[in-house]
Coordinates of all heavy atoms in Angstrom, one line a residue:
M1 N 0.8 -1.2 0.0 CA 0.0 0.0 0.0 C 0.9 1.2 0.0 O 1.8 1.4 0.8 CB -0.9 0.0 1.2 CG -2.0 1.0 1.2 SD -3.1 0.5 2.5 CE -3.9 2.1 2.7
A2 N 0.7 2.1 -0.9 CA 1.5 3.3 -1.1 C 1.1 4.4 -0.1 O -0.1 4.5 0.3 CB 1.4 3.9 -2.5
K3 N 2.1 5.2 0.3 CA 1.8 6.4 1.1 C 1.1 7.4 0.3 O 1.3 7.6 -0.8 CB 3.1 7.0 1.7 CG 3.7 6.2 2.8 CD 5.0 6.9 3.2 CE 4.8 7.6 4.5 NZ 6.1 8.2 5.0
E4 N 0.2 8.2 1.0 CA -0.4 9.3 0.4 C 0.6 10.4 0.2 O 1.5 10.6 1.0 CB -1.6 9.8 1.3 CG -2.7 8.9 1.4 CD -3.5 8.8 0.1 OE1 -3.6 9.8 -0.7 OE2 -4.0 7.7 -0.3
E5 N 0.4 11.2 -0.9 CA 1.3 12.3 -1.2 C 0.9 13.4 -0.2 O -0.2 13.7 0.2 CB 1.0 12.8 -2.6 CG 1.5 11.8 -3.6 CD 3.0 11.7 -3.6 OE1 3.7 12.7 -3.4 OE2 3.5 10.6 -3.8
L6 N 2.0 14.1 0.3 CA 1.8 15.2 1.2 C 1.6 16.5 0.4 O 2.2 16.7 -0.7 CB 3.0 15.4 2.1 CG 3.3 14.2 3.0 CD1 4.6 14.5 3.8 CD2 2.2 14.1 4.0
L7 N 0.8 17.4 0.9 CA 0.6 18.7 0.3 C 1.6 19.7 0.8 O 1.8 19.7 2.0 CB -0.8 19.2 0.6 CG -2.0 18.3 0.3 CD1 -3.3 18.9 0.9 CD2 -2.1 18.1 -1.2
T8 N 2.2 20.4 0.0 CA 3.2 21.5 0.4 C 2.6 22.8 0.0 O 2.4 23.1 -1.1 CB 4.6 21.2 -0.3 OG1 5.0 19.9 0.0 CG2 5.6 22.2 0.2
L9 N 2.5 23.7 1.1 CA 1.9 25.0 0.9 C 2.8 26.0 1.5 O 3.6 25.7 2.4 CB 0.5 25.1 1.5 CG -0.5 24.1 1.0 CD1 -1.7 24.1 1.9 CD2 -0.9 24.4 -0.4
E10 N 2.6 27.3 1.1 CA 3.4 28.4 1.7 C 2.5 29.2 2.6 O 1.3 29.3 2.4 CB 4.0 29.3 0.7 CG 5.1 28.6 -0.1 CD 5.8 29.6 -1.1 OE1 5.7 30.8 -0.8 OE2 6.3 29.1 -2.1
G11 N 3.1 29.8 3.7 CA 2.3 30.6 4.6 C 3.2 31.5 5.4 O 4.4 31.6 5.2
V12 N 2.5 32.2 6.3 CA 3.2 33.2 7.2 C 2.9 32.9 8.6 O 1.7 32.7 8.9 CB 2.8 34.6 6.8 CG1 3.5 35.6 7.8 CG2 3.1 35.0 5.4
I13 N 3.9 32.8 9.5 CA 3.6 32.6 10.9 C 3.0 33.8 11.5 O 3.5 34.9 11.3 CB 5.0 32.3 11.6 CG1 5.5 31.0 11.1 CG2 4.8 32.2 13.1 CD1 6.9 30.6 11.7
D14 N 1.9 33.6 12.2 CA 1.2 34.8 12.8 C 1.1 34.7 14.3 O 0.7 35.6 15.0 CB -0.2 35.0 12.2 CG -1.2 33.9 12.6 OD1 -0.8 32.8 13.0 OD2 -2.4 34.2 12.6
E15 N 1.4 33.5 14.9 CA 1.3 33.3 16.3 C 2.3 32.2 16.8 O 2.4 31.2 16.1 CB -0.1 33.0 16.7 CG -0.4 32.8 18.2 CD -1.8 32.4 18.5 OE1 -2.6 32.1 17.6 OE2 -2.1 32.5 19.7
I16 N 2.9 32.4 17.9 CA 3.8 31.4 18.5 C 3.0 30.8 19.7 O 2.5 31.5 20.6 CB 5.1 32.0 19.0 CG1 5.9 32.6 17.8 CG2 5.9 30.9 19.7 CD1 7.1 33.3 18.2
L17 N 2.9 29.5 19.6 CA 2.1 28.7 20.6 C 3.1 27.9 21.5 O 4.2 27.7 21.1 CB 1.1 27.8 20.0 CG 0.1 28.5 19.0 CD1 -0.7 27.5 18.2 CD2 -0.8 29.4 19.9
P18 N 2.6 27.4 22.6 CA 3.5 26.5 23.5 C 3.9 25.2 22.8 O 3.3 24.8 21.8 CB 2.7 26.2 24.7 CG 1.5 27.2 24.7 CD 1.3 27.6 23.3
D19 N 5.0 24.6 23.3 CA 5.4 23.3 22.8 C 5.9 23.3 21.4 O 5.7 22.3 20.7 CB 4.3 22.2 23.0 CG 4.0 22.0 24.4 OD1 4.8 22.2 25.3 OD2 2.8 21.7 24.7
G20 N 6.5 24.4 20.9 CA 7.1 24.4 19.6 C 6.1 24.4 18.5 O 6.4 24.0 17.4
R21 N 4.9 24.9 18.7 CA 3.9 25.0 17.7 C 3.7 26.4 17.3 O 4.0 27.4 18.0 CB 2.6 24.4 18.2 CG 2.7 22.9 18.5 CD 1.4 22.3 18.8 NE 1.6 20.9 19.3 CZ 1.7 19.9 18.5 NH1 1.7 20.0 17.2 NH2 1.8 18.7 19.0
F22 N 3.2 26.6 16.1 CA 3.0 27.9 15.5 C 1.6 28.0 14.8 O 1.1 27.0 14.3 CB 4.1 28.2 14.5 CG 5.4 28.2 15.0 CD1 6.2 27.0 15.0 CD2 6.0 29.3 15.5 CE1 7.5 27.0 15.5 CE2 7.3 29.3 16.0 CZ 8.0 28.1 16.0
G23 N 1.0 29.2 14.9 CA -0.2 29.4 14.1 C 0.3 30.0 12.7 O 1.1 30.9 12.7
V24 N -0.1 29.4 11.7 CA 0.3 29.7 10.3 C -0.9 30.1 9.5 O -1.9 29.3 9.4 CB 1.1 28.6 9.7 CG1 1.5 29.0 8.2 CG2 2.4 28.2 10.5
V25 N -0.8 31.2 8.8 CA -1.9 31.6 7.8 C -1.4 31.2 6.4 O -0.3 31.7 6.0 CB -2.2 33.1 7.9 CG1 -3.2 33.5 6.9 CG2 -2.8 33.4 9.3
L26 N -2.1 30.3 5.8 CA -1.6 29.9 4.4 C -2.0 30.9 3.4 O -2.8 31.8 3.6 CB -2.3 28.5 4.1 CG -2.0 27.4 5.1 CD1 -2.7 26.2 4.7 CD2 -0.5 27.1 5.1
E27 N -1.4 30.7 2.2 CA -1.7 31.7 1.1 C -3.2 31.7 0.7 O -3.7 32.7 0.3 CB -0.9 31.3 -0.2 CG 0.5 31.5 0.0 CD 1.3 31.1 -1.3 OE1 0.8 30.2 -2.0 OE2 2.3 31.7 -1.6
N28 N -3.9 30.6 1.0 CA -5.3 30.6 0.6 C -6.2 31.0 1.8 O -7.4 30.7 1.9 CB -5.8 29.2 0.2 CG -5.5 28.1 1.3 OD1 -5.0 28.4 2.4 ND2 -5.6 26.9 0.9
E29 N -5.6 31.8 2.8 CA -6.3 32.4 3.9 C -6.8 31.4 5.0 O -7.5 31.8 5.9 CB -7.4 33.3 3.4 CG -7.0 34.4 2.5 CD -6.0 35.4 3.2 OE1 -6.1 35.7 4.4 OE2 -5.1 35.8 2.5
H30 N -6.4 30.1 4.9 CA -6.8 29.2 5.9 C -5.7 29.3 7.0 O -4.5 29.5 6.8 CB -6.8 27.8 5.4 CG -8.1 27.5 4.6 ND1 -8.2 27.9 3.3 CD2 -9.2 26.9 5.0 CE1 -9.4 27.5 2.9 NE2 -10.0 26.9 3.9
R31 N -6.1 29.1 8.3 CA -5.2 29.1 9.4 C -5.1 27.7 10.0 O -6.1 27.0 10.2 CB -5.7 30.0 10.5 CG -4.7 30.2 11.6 CD -5.2 31.3 12.6 NE -4.1 31.6 13.5 CZ -3.9 30.9 14.6 NH1 -4.5 29.8 14.8 NH2 -2.9 31.2 15.4
I32 N -3.8 27.3 10.2 CA -3.5 25.9 10.7 C -2.6 26.0 11.9 O -2.0 27.1 12.1 CB -2.9 25.0 9.6 CG1 -1.6 25.5 9.2 CG2 -3.9 24.9 8.4 CD1 -0.8 24.5 8.4
I33 N -2.4 24.9 12.6 CA -1.4 24.8 13.6 C -0.3 23.9 13.1 O -0.6 22.8 12.6 CB -2.1 24.1 14.9 CG1 -3.3 24.9 15.4 CG2 -1.0 24.0 16.0 CD1 -3.0 26.3 15.9
A34 N 0.9 24.4 13.2 CA 2.0 23.7 12.6 C 3.2 23.5 13.6 O 3.3 24.4 14.5 CB 2.6 24.4 11.4
Y35 N 3.9 22.5 13.5 CA 5.1 22.3 14.4 C 6.3 22.2 13.5 O 6.3 22.0 12.3 CB 4.9 21.0 15.2 CG 4.9 19.7 14.4 CD1 6.0 19.0 14.2 CD2 3.7 19.3 13.9 CE1 6.0 17.8 13.4 CE2 3.6 18.1 13.2 CZ 4.8 17.4 13.0 OH 4.8 16.2 12.2
T36 N 7.5 22.4 14.1 CA 8.8 22.4 13.4 C 9.2 21.0 13.1 O 9.0 20.1 13.9 CB 9.9 23.2 14.1 OG1 10.0 22.6 15.4 CG2 9.6 24.6 14.3
A37 N 9.7 20.8 11.9 CA 10.2 19.5 11.5 C 11.5 19.1 12.4 O 12.1 20.0 12.9 CB 10.6 19.5 10.0
G38 N 11.8 17.9 12.4 CA 12.9 17.4 13.2 C 14.3 18.0 12.8 O 15.1 18.3 13.7
K39 N 14.6 18.1 11.5 CA 15.8 18.7 11.1 C 15.9 20.2 11.5 O 17.0 20.7 11.9 CB 16.0 18.6 9.6 CG 16.2 17.3 9.1 CD 17.7 16.9 9.1 CE 17.9 15.6 8.4 NZ 19.2 15.2 8.3
M40 N 14.8 20.9 11.5 CA 14.8 22.3 11.9 C 15.1 22.4 13.4 O 15.8 23.3 13.9 CB 13.5 23.0 11.6 CG 13.3 23.2 10.1 SD 11.8 24.1 9.7 CE 12.1 25.7 10.4
R41 N 14.5 21.5 14.2 CA 14.8 21.4 15.6 C 16.2 21.0 15.9 O 16.9 21.6 16.8 CB 13.8 20.4 16.2 CG 13.4 20.8 17.6 CD 12.4 19.9 18.2 NE 11.1 19.9 17.5 CZ 10.5 18.8 17.0 NH1 10.9 17.6 17.3 NH2 9.4 19.0 16.4
K42 N 16.7 20.1 15.1 CA 18.1 19.6 15.3 C 19.1 20.7 15.1 O 20.1 20.9 15.9 CB 18.4 18.4 14.4 CG 19.8 17.9 14.5 CD 20.0 16.7 13.5 CE 21.4 16.3 13.6 NZ 21.6 15.2 12.6
F43 N 18.9 21.5 14.1 CA 19.9 22.5 13.7 C 19.5 23.9 14.3 O 20.1 24.9 13.9 CB 20.1 22.6 12.2 CG 20.7 21.4 11.6 CD1 20.0 20.5 10.9 CD2 22.1 21.1 11.9 CE1 20.6 19.4 10.4 CE2 22.7 20.0 11.4 CZ 22.0 19.1 10.6
R44 N 18.5 23.9 15.2 CA 18.1 25.1 15.9 C 17.7 26.2 15.0 O 18.2 27.4 15.2 CB 19.2 25.5 17.0 CG 19.4 24.5 18.0 CD 20.3 25.0 19.1 NE 20.5 24.1 20.2 CZ 21.6 23.4 20.4 NH1 22.7 23.7 19.7 NH2 21.7 22.5 21.4
I45 N 17.0 26.0 14.0 CA 16.5 27.0 13.1 C 15.3 27.7 13.8 O 14.3 27.0 14.1 CB 16.1 26.5 11.7 CG1 17.4 25.9 11.1 CG2 15.5 27.5 10.9 CD1 17.1 25.2 9.8
R46 N 15.4 28.9 14.1 CA 14.4 29.7 14.9 C 13.4 30.3 13.9 O 13.8 30.8 12.9 CB 15.0 30.8 15.7 CG 16.0 30.3 16.7 CD 15.4 29.6 17.8 NE 16.4 29.1 18.8 CZ 16.3 28.1 19.5 NH1 15.2 27.3 19.5 NH2 17.2 27.7 20.4
S47 N 12.1 30.3 14.3 CA 11.1 30.9 13.5 C 10.4 32.0 14.4 O 10.2 31.7 15.6 CB 10.1 29.9 13.1 OG 10.7 28.9 12.3
V48 N 10.1 33.1 13.8 CA 9.4 34.2 14.6 C 8.2 34.6 13.8 O 8.0 34.3 12.6 CB 10.4 35.4 14.8 CG1 11.5 35.0 15.7 CG2 10.9 35.9 13.5
V49 N 7.4 35.4 14.4 CA 6.2 35.9 13.8 C 6.6 36.8 12.5 O 7.5 37.6 12.6 CB 5.4 36.8 14.8 CG1 4.2 37.5 14.1 CG2 4.9 36.0 15.9
G50 N 5.9 36.5 11.4 CA 6.2 37.2 10.2 C 7.0 36.4 9.2 O 7.2 36.8 8.1
D51 N 7.6 35.3 9.6 CA 8.5 34.5 8.7 C 7.6 33.8 7.7 O 6.5 33.3 8.0 CB 9.2 33.5 9.5 CG 10.5 34.0 10.2 OD1 10.8 35.2 9.9 OD2 11.1 33.3 11.0
R52 N 8.1 33.8 6.5 CA 7.4 33.0 5.4 C 8.0 31.5 5.5 O 9.2 31.3 5.6 CB 7.7 33.5 4.0 CG 7.0 34.9 3.8 CD 6.9 35.3 2.4 NE 6.3 34.3 1.5 CZ 5.0 34.0 1.4 NH1 4.2 34.7 2.1 NH2 4.6 33.1 0.5
V53 N 7.1 30.6 5.6 CA 7.5 29.2 5.7 C 6.8 28.3 4.7 O 5.7 28.6 4.1 CB 7.1 28.7 7.2 CG1 8.0 29.4 8.2 CG2 5.7 28.8 7.5
H54 N 7.4 27.1 4.5 CA 6.7 26.0 3.7 C 6.2 25.0 4.7 O 6.9 24.6 5.6 CB 7.8 25.4 2.7 CG 8.3 26.4 1.7 ND1 8.7 25.9 0.5 CD2 8.4 27.7 1.7 CE1 9.1 27.0 -0.2 NE2 8.9 28.1 0.5
V55 N 5.0 24.6 4.5 CA 4.3 23.6 5.4 C 3.9 22.4 4.6 O 3.3 22.5 3.5 CB 3.1 24.3 6.0 CG1 2.4 23.4 6.9 CG2 3.5 25.6 6.7
E56 N 4.2 21.2 5.2 CA 3.7 20.0 4.6 C 2.4 19.6 5.4 O 2.4 19.7 6.6 CB 4.7 18.8 4.8 CG 5.7 18.8 3.8 CD 6.6 17.6 3.9 OE1 6.6 16.9 5.0 OE2 7.4 17.3 3.0
M57 N 1.4 19.1 4.7 CA 0.2 18.7 5.3 C -0.3 17.4 4.7 O 0.0 17.1 3.5 CB -0.9 19.7 5.1 CG -0.6 21.1 5.6 SD -1.8 22.3 5.1 CE -3.3 21.7 5.7
T58 N -1.0 16.5 5.4 CA -1.5 15.3 4.9 C -2.9 15.6 4.4 O -3.6 16.5 5.0 CB -1.5 14.2 6.0 OG1 -2.2 13.1 5.5 CG2 -2.3 14.7 7.2
P59 N -3.4 14.9 3.4 CA -4.8 15.2 2.9 C -5.8 14.8 3.9 O -7.0 15.1 3.8 CB -4.8 14.4 1.6 CG -3.7 13.5 1.6 CD -2.7 14.0 2.6
Y60 N -5.5 14.0 4.9 CA -6.5 13.5 5.9 C -6.9 14.5 6.9 O -8.0 14.5 7.5 CB -6.0 12.2 6.6 CG -5.7 11.1 5.6 CD1 -4.5 10.6 5.4 CD2 -6.8 10.5 5.0 CE1 -4.3 9.6 4.5 CE2 -6.6 9.5 4.1 CZ -5.4 9.0 3.8 OH -5.2 8.0 3.0
D61 N -5.9 15.4 7.3 CA -6.2 16.4 8.4 C -5.6 17.7 7.9 O -4.4 18.0 8.0 CB -5.5 16.0 9.7 CG -6.0 16.9 10.8 OD1 -6.8 17.9 10.6 OD2 -5.5 16.7 12.0
L62 N -6.5 18.6 7.4 CA -6.1 19.9 6.8 C -6.0 21.0 7.8 O -5.9 22.1 7.4 CB -7.0 20.2 5.6 CG -7.0 19.2 4.5 CD1 -8.0 19.6 3.4 CD2 -5.6 19.1 3.9
S63 N -6.0 20.7 9.1 CA -5.9 21.7 10.1 C -4.6 21.7 10.8 O -4.3 22.5 11.6 CB -7.1 21.5 11.2 OG -6.9 20.3 11.9
K64 N -3.7 20.7 10.5 CA -2.4 20.6 11.1 C -1.4 20.4 10.1 O -1.7 19.9 9.0 CB -2.4 19.4 12.1 CG -3.3 19.5 13.2 CD -3.2 18.4 14.2 CE -4.1 18.6 15.4 NZ -5.1 17.6 15.5
G65 N -0.1 20.8 10.4 CA 0.9 20.7 9.4 C 2.3 20.7 10.1 O 2.4 20.8 11.3
R66 N 3.3 20.5 9.2 CA 4.7 20.5 9.7 C 5.5 21.5 8.9 O 5.5 21.5 7.7 CB 5.3 19.1 9.4 CG 6.8 19.0 9.8 CD 7.4 17.7 9.4 NE 6.5 16.5 9.5 CZ 6.2 15.7 8.6 NH1 6.6 15.9 7.3 NH2 5.4 14.7 8.8
I67 N 6.2 22.4 9.6 CA 7.0 23.4 9.0 C 8.3 22.8 8.5 O 9.1 22.2 9.3 CB 7.3 24.6 9.9 CG1 6.0 25.3 10.3 CG2 8.3 25.6 9.3 CD1 6.2 26.3 11.4
I68 N 8.6 22.8 7.2 CA 9.8 22.1 6.7 C 10.8 23.1 6.2 O 12.0 22.7 6.0 CB 9.4 21.1 5.6 CG1 8.7 21.9 4.4 CG2 8.6 20.0 6.1 CD1 8.5 21.0 3.2
F69 N 10.5 24.3 6.0 CA 11.4 25.3 5.5 C 11.0 26.7 5.9 O 9.9 27.1 5.8 CB 11.5 25.2 3.9 CG 12.5 26.1 3.3 CD1 13.9 25.7 3.3 CD2 12.2 27.3 2.7 CE1 14.8 26.6 2.7 CE2 13.1 28.1 2.1 CZ 14.4 27.7 2.1
R70 N 12.0 27.5 6.3 CA 11.8 28.9 6.7 C 12.6 29.7 5.7 O 13.8 29.6 5.6 CB 12.3 29.2 8.1 CG 12.1 30.7 8.4 CD 12.6 31.0 9.8 NE 14.0 30.8 10.0 CZ 15.0 31.7 9.8 NH1 14.7 32.9 9.4 NH2 16.2 31.4 9.9
E71 N 11.9 30.6 4.9 CA 12.6 31.4 3.9 C 13.4 32.5 4.6 O 13.1 33.0 5.7 CB 11.6 32.0 3.0 CG 10.9 31.0 2.1 CD 9.9 31.7 1.2 OE1 9.9 32.9 1.0 OE2 9.1 31.0 0.5
R72 N 14.6 32.7 4.0 CA 15.5 33.8 4.6 C 14.9 35.1 4.4 O 14.3 35.4 3.3 CB 16.8 33.7 3.9 CG 17.6 32.4 4.2 CD 18.9 32.5 3.4 NE 19.5 31.2 3.5 CZ 20.7 30.9 4.1 NH1 21.4 31.9 4.5 NH2 21.2 29.7 4.1
T73 N 15.0 36.0 5.4 CA 14.5 37.3 5.3 C 15.6 38.2 4.8 O 16.7 38.2 5.3 CB 14.1 37.8 6.8 OG1 13.2 36.9 7.3 CG2 13.5 39.2 6.7
P74 N 15.4 38.9 3.7 CA 16.5 39.8 3.1 C 17.0 40.8 4.1 O 16.2 41.4 4.8 CB 15.9 40.4 1.9 CG 14.4 40.1 2.0 CD 14.2 39.1 3.0
G75 N 18.3 41.0 4.2 CA 18.9 42.0 5.0 C 19.1 41.6 6.5 O 19.6 42.3 7.2
V76 N 18.7 40.4 6.8 CA 18.9 39.9 8.2 C 19.9 38.7 8.1 O 19.7 37.7 7.5 CB 17.6 39.4 8.8 CG1 17.8 38.8 10.2 CG2 16.6 40.5 8.8
G77 N 21.0 38.9 8.8 CA 22.1 37.9 8.8 C 21.9 36.9 10.0 O 20.9 37.1 10.7
P78 N 22.7 35.9 10.1 CA 22.6 35.0 11.2 C 22.9 35.7 12.5 O 23.6 36.7 12.6 CB 23.7 34.0 10.9 CG 24.6 34.6 10.0 CD 23.9 35.6 9.2
G79 N 22.4 35.2 13.6 CA 22.5 35.9 14.9 C 23.9 35.6 15.5 O 24.7 34.9 14.9
P80 N 24.2 36.2 16.6 CA 25.6 36.1 17.2 C 25.8 34.6 17.6 O 24.9 34.0 18.2 CB 25.6 37.0 18.3 CG 24.2 37.2 18.7 CD 23.4 37.1 17.4
R81 N 27.0 34.1 17.4 CA 27.3 32.8 17.8 C 27.9 32.8 19.2 O 28.6 33.7 19.6 CB 28.3 32.2 16.9 CG 27.7 32.1 15.4 CD 28.6 31.2 14.6 NE 28.2 29.8 14.9 CZ 28.5 28.8 14.2 NH1 29.3 29.0 13.2 NH2 28.1 27.6 14.5
N82 N 27.6 31.8 20.0 CA 28.1 31.7 21.3 C 29.5 31.2 21.2 O 29.8 30.1 20.6 CB 27.3 30.7 22.2 CG 25.9 31.2 22.4 OD1 25.7 32.4 22.3 ND2 25.0 30.4 22.7
A83 N 30.5 31.9 21.8 CA 31.9 31.5 21.8 C 32.0 30.5 23.0 O 31.9 30.9 24.2 CB 32.8 32.7 22.0
R84 N 32.3 29.3 22.7 CA 32.5 28.3 23.7 C 34.0 28.1 23.9 O 34.8 27.8 23.0 CB 31.9 27.0 23.3 CG 30.4 27.0 23.2 CD 29.8 25.7 23.0 NE 28.4 25.8 22.8 CZ 27.6 24.8 22.5 NH1 28.1 23.6 22.3 NH2 26.3 24.9 22.4
R85 N 34.4 28.1 25.2 CA 35.8 27.9 25.5 C 35.9 26.6 26.3 O 35.1 26.3 27.1 CB 36.3 29.0 26.4 CG 36.4 30.3 25.7 CD 37.0 31.4 26.5 NE 37.0 32.7 25.8 CZ 37.5 33.8 26.2 NH1 38.1 33.8 27.4 NH2 37.5 34.9 25.5
R86 N 36.9 25.9 26.0 CA 37.1 24.6 26.7 C 38.4 24.7 27.5 O 39.3 25.3 27.4 CB 37.2 23.5 25.7 CG 35.9 23.3 25.0 CD 36.0 22.1 24.1 NE 34.7 21.9 23.4 CZ 34.2 20.8 23.2 NH1 34.7 19.7 23.6 NH2 33.0 20.8 22.6

């Protein structure tokens, strides 16, 4: 039995919720609850209100999704790195 294809949509984060979840407004004006994908969590990619993101959704539940990509904001570089001394 084959897996169902995931839907990939673009949206904007409009609210930060507890437990690593975000409120995202999609391009088609629907609002969903999304969480960060494992790779984004692993590499500590931070998302803030106003970021444009790509969201994967299953066709079975169109109210939830997974943030898989955060688009870079022009003119904003990476944050300061922590200098670790050993």
Side-chain angles (χ1 to χ4, degrees):
M1 193 166 159
K3 280 179 109 175
E4 289 290 326
E5 291 294 322
L6 297 174
L7 306 171
T8 303
L9 301 168
E10 291 186 22
V12 177
I13 295 176
D14 72 335
E15 183 180 8
I16 298 176
L17 303 170
D19 297 330
R21 298 189 186 276
F22 300 90
V24 177
V25 176
L26 302 176
E27 289 180 332
N28 57 7
E29 300 301 322
H30 284 81
R31 187 171 187 282
I32 65 166
I33 304 297
Y35 64 93
T36 54
K39 290 274 187 174
M40 289 182 68
R41 210 173 300 130
K42 178 181 177 183
F43 293 108
R44 296 189 178 111
I45 296 173
R46 303 286 181 210
S47 300
V48 294
V49 173
D51 281 351
R52 291 196 54 79
V53 293
H54 295 209
V55 179
E56 275 186 349
M57 298 170 60
T58 178
Y60 297 113
D61 188 1
L62 297 176
S63 65
K64 295 184 178 118
R66 177 187 321 123
I67 298 173
I68 57 169
F69 184 76
R70 179 182 61 91
E71 293 183 9
R72 294 179 189 239
T73 307
V76 177
R81 299 193 82 166
N82 294 337
R84 294 185 183 175
R85 294 184 183 183
R86 293 186 182 221

